Amino acid sequence: DADVTQTPRNRITKTGKRIMLECSQTKGHDRMYWYRQDPGLGLRLIYYSFDVKDINKGEISDGYSVSRQAQAKFSLSLESAIPNQTALYFCATSGPEALTDTQYFGPGTRLTVL
Amino acid sequence: AQSVAQPEDQVNVAEGNPLTVKCTYSVSGNPYLFWYVQYPNRGLQFLLKYITGDNLVKGSYGFEAEFNKSQTSFHLKKPSALVSDSALYFCAVRDNTGRRALTFGSGTRLQVQP
């Protein structure tokens, strides 16, 4: 089984709809991240969490919210989806390698907002 | 703020030839540098990292990277390319603020021709 899983893998929705993307991990890591990938822009940080009670905004948090339900689960919500949120979304985790912070990525969720 | 530049959108190389994918970075403090690879419809896979020590870092699948502090570069290399190496490659630098998130370059598509 994969260490970092994301559901759904693909989603098509309409403008104005609320949508939630879920991430689960079995690596036992405390730190979890949400990124979005757009062609030619690489990955950009949306939100990150260092533990259940610690949630922080990244560079592009507007229009998104997150919930850390447990150490292993970190969800990303789009309260009212808009077309420019069409992207590939990745969850990542990192653990107690304190000096290196190697991040491990899920397979991604491809979101299309019509 | 930290940044990463990957000056080539695409690199083409013949199978069996050496390959180089370029990356330059900017960060305050000690650089922690990473290379990730993304195969079609897959998440990002960790290839290698530089923390400190030897400037030549060896990673997965025969890849290595050369850290050059004076040129602020961290180029990815492989002595003999395989067709299966064709993928999207991302260079990243860890920020040295409390976030410890990764800042990614825009990615370089490597195409290895048979």
Side-chain angles (χ1 to χ4, degrees):
Chain A
D1 287 340
D3 294 323
V4 184
T5 58
Q6 292 182 234
T7 55
R9 293 293 310 278
N10 290 283
R11 180 72 182 265
I12 300 174
T13 192
K14 294 182 178 180
T15 298
K17 294 291 187 181
R18 184 180 188 276
I19 185 167
M20 178 181 288
L21 310 182
E22 299 187 345
C23 176
S24 295
Q25 53 112 347
T26 58
K27 298 185 76 68
H29 288 169
D30 289 325
R31 294 191 286 273
M32 298 187 73
Y33 303 81
W34 276 104
Y35 294 88
R36 66 176 276 175
Q37 181 183 10
D38 298 279
L41 294 179
L43 280 75
R44 293 179 291 166
L45 181 66
I46 307 172
Y47 269 94
Y48 63 102
S49 169
F50 283 2
D51 65 38
V52 175
K53 296 182 180 180
D54 181 59
I55 305 288
N56 303 278
K57 294 182 177 180
E59 285 103 6
I60 55 165
S61 59
D62 287 349
Y64 301 95
S65 62
V66 290
S67 172
R68 185 83 183 266
Q69 301 95 323
Q71 187 210 33
K73 296 184 183 295
F74 192 36
S75 300
L76 176 72
S77 293
L78 287 67
E79 297 301 326
S80 180
I82 56 177
N84 75 1
Q85 292 178 312
T86 293
L88 190 53
Y89 289 85
F90 287 105
C91 173
T93 75
S94 67
E97 303 168 55
L99 290 181
T100 68
D101 293 301
T102 301
Q103 293 191 14
Y104 299 90
F105 286 79
T109 295
R110 186 170 297 280
L111 177 65
T112 302
V113 183
L114 301 176
Chain B
Q2 63 282 347
S3 65
V4 174
Q6 293 181 242
E8 302 154 317
D9 290 336
Q10 181 157 325
V11 170
N12 297 307
V13 64
E15 187 174 31
N17 284 359
L19 68 88
T20 298
V21 182
K22 295 180 180 177
C23 170
T24 58
Y25 67 91
S26 173
V27 66
S28 299
N30 294 325
Y32 298 105
L33 299 159
F34 301 80
W35 275 101
Y36 285 84
V37 59
Q38 184 180 26
Y39 297 102
N41 300 314
R42 303 284 295 277
L44 275 71
Q45 297 180 30
F46 169 73
L47 272 180
L48 52 79
K49 63 188 175 189
Y50 172 83
I51 309 162
T52 186
D54 195 346
N55 288 344
L56 186 64
V57 179
K58 293 190 183 297
S60 305
Y61 312 122
F63 283 93
E64 56 191 26
E66 186 171 13
F67 171 69
N68 187 315
K69 186 173 183 178
S70 63
Q71 296 185 4
T72 61
S73 66
F74 188 55
H75 300 332
L76 181 70
K77 302 183 181 215
K78 188 173 183 181
S80 180
L82 300 172
V83 172
S84 57
D85 293 330
S86 298
L88 188 57
Y89 291 81
F90 289 99
C91 180
V93 62
R94 196 203 78 178
D95 71 49
N96 289 329
T97 68
R99 298 185 324 175
R100 304 170 83 164
L102 295 177
T103 296
F104 287 84
S106 55
T108 298
R109 187 163 299 282
L110 174 66
Q111 194 69 40
V112 182
Q113 285 112 7

